[in-house]
Amino acid sequence: MFWKKMFGKKTSGRNEEARSEIIDSATMKVVILSDLGNIRTNNEDIGMFFRIADEQVQREKGYLLIVADGMGGHRAGEVASRLAAETISEEYFNQTGNGSIEKNLCRAFNAANKKIFSMASSNQQYRGMGTTCTSLVVKDQQIYFAHAGDSRAYILQNNLITRITEDHTYVQDLVNKGEITNEEAESHPKRNILTNAMGTKPELRIDTGKCPVAFEQNNRLLLCSDGLYDYIKDNELADILSNKPLHDAANFLIQEAKKRGGHDNITVILAEKIAADSDQPIKETKDFDLPSTKEFDLP
């Protein structure tokens, strides 16, 4: 079964300005920037960074970064992406025991998928809604991922960029089969057809794993929705991330995607490993208490 994320002007939903956050921790700086783009009137993307205040939980669970790109009319896409991010964070940080990070992420993704699918099945207003979701956990120098859909995660090391995730799309399947090249995939007319998305069916395909590249000082992570990479190629991403300060790079990526079309929402999370004794000024720090299990109050 395929799902196509349709571009076009929405007649419902709320107007929003671009949202930006700068978060400094002892070892990592994170910038989150999300923009409507040029066409949409509501933002169905969400980008989140979670650092739990409890130091023991930080040591065991690390930091969590999430990008989700929702789909569905009447604001259902917004509901799906937010429900995904909030459920995954709750489930991941509340899990106890000695399960691996990959297994814990997988359980969290499955819980989010069931919630979204249940809401879509029981409420006509949300029927057919779903979302992509890409999550990274950074623990010390290790990077773990869980992924469904076509949002992406990258790592930049020594000015070279590497994709951590693989798109769950019809076109990526063609690439994997050797029927088209990666270059042909970038402009293929069916590149936005999803083969997998959270909340669209009872069972979810989840890619999980550990990135083979260590997260070392001055390395950078990028999580983004397809509203960014549809317009900016990987080699351009590497050049921008290698030559601009973190917040400047995020702003430039958003504005460049809008200059080249901006037909979808655009969300960027950039994270950089910094020295523990760095004297860079802290602009904003966000700590989160350990989430409690509850139902979310969603529209």
Side-chain angles (χ1 to χ4, degrees):
M1 186 178 294
F2 297 150
W3 298 270
K4 185 168 184 180
K5 298 194 305 181
M6 302 299 293
F7 296 153
K9 189 171 183 178
K10 306 288 286 186
T11 57
S12 62
R14 62 181 181 272
N15 293 322
E16 297 182 11
E17 300 295 330
R19 303 190 301 268
S20 178
E21 288 186 273
I22 305 172
I23 304 147
D24 283 4
S25 71
T27 59
M28 190 163 67
K29 175 177 284 188
V30 180
V31 175
I32 304 173
L33 186 61
S34 188
D35 194 277
L36 287 171
N38 297 330
I39 305 296
R40 297 289 186 93
T41 59
N42 65 310
N43 197 337
E44 297 179 327
D45 286 1
I46 194 166
M48 287 189 174
F49 169 75
F50 295 89
R51 182 185 66 197
I52 300 304
D54 187 295
E55 291 186 4
Q56 182 177 346
V57 176
Q58 284 187 30
R59 288 192 296 271
E60 293 177 356
K61 301 285 190 175
Y63 300 153
L64 176 65
L65 305 96
I66 299 176
V67 163
D69 178 358
M71 56 189 181
H74 305 290
R75 290 185 56 193
E78 296 174 55
V79 172
S81 60
R82 180 166 292 277
L83 186 56
E86 293 179 337
T87 303
I88 289 167
S89 62
E90 279 201 353
E91 294 289 335
Y92 175 72
F93 286 113
N94 273 316
Q95 289 180 63
T96 58
N98 297 318
S100 69
I101 289 177
E102 295 102 310
K103 288 181 179 178
N104 289 338
L105 281 172
C106 188
R107 293 187 190 104
F109 266 58
N110 277 320
N113 182 67
K114 289 177 181 177
K115 272 192 178 179
I116 297 168
F117 182 77
S118 176
M119 183 178 286
S121 300
S122 60
N123 190 323
Q124 182 64 36
Q125 182 179 0
Y126 301 134
R127 194 166 301 280
M129 75 174 177
T131 184
T132 71
C133 192
T134 298
S135 297
L136 296 183
V137 168
V138 178
K139 182 184 176 190
D140 301 322
Q141 291 187 316
Q142 304 304 318
I143 304 163
Y144 303 87
F145 67 88
H147 168 72
D150 69 346
S151 298
R152 288 182 183 174
Y154 296 82
I155 185 167
L156 181 83
Q157 182 186 49
N158 298 325
N159 300 331
L160 298 175
I161 199 163
T162 303
R163 290 187 201 175
I164 298 173
T165 56
E166 182 179 274
D167 298 343
H168 296 165
T169 60
Y170 170 74
V171 166
Q172 184 63 50
D173 286 348
L174 295 181
V175 172
N176 293 344
K177 293 175 183 176
E179 297 181 17
I180 63 173
T181 65
N182 282 312
E183 290 72 24
E184 291 171 328
E186 290 176 353
S187 58
H188 197 284
K190 296 183 178 180
R191 64 187 180 277
N192 297 115
I193 296 180
L194 296 173
T195 56
N196 185 45
M198 183 177 287
T200 56
K201 54 185 179 181
E203 302 298 326
L204 177 68
R205 170 190 166 188
I206 308 165
D207 292 348
T208 62
K210 179 179 175 182
C211 178
V213 180
F215 192 40
E216 299 172 338
Q217 188 174 339
N218 298 322
N219 286 1
R220 289 180 168 182
L221 296 172
L222 165 65
L223 291 84
C224 63
S225 58
D226 63 342
L228 180 76
Y229 69 75
D230 268 354
Y231 297 102
I232 304 178
K233 297 181 180 179
D234 288 6
N235 63 321
E236 294 179 286
L237 292 174
D239 183 63
I240 294 163
L241 295 182
S242 299
N243 293 292
K244 291 182 180 294
L246 206 65
H247 193 264
D248 291 350
N251 274 315
F252 184 89
L253 289 170
I254 294 286
Q255 295 308 316
E256 193 65 19
K258 292 174 72 173
K259 280 170 42 177
R260 298 182 186 188
H263 288 97
D264 200 359
N265 306 142
I266 310 157
T267 297
V268 172
I269 299 179
L270 292 179
E272 181 179 55
K273 191 71 174 286
I274 58 177
D277 60 350
S278 172
D279 58 359
Q280 298 182 33
I282 295 178
K283 297 183 179 179
E284 181 179 356
T285 300
K286 290 284 185 74
D287 281 320
F288 293 86
D289 293 327
L290 187 65
S292 58
T293 302
K294 59 180 177 60
E295 292 297 321
F296 298 111
D297 182 18
L298 291 170

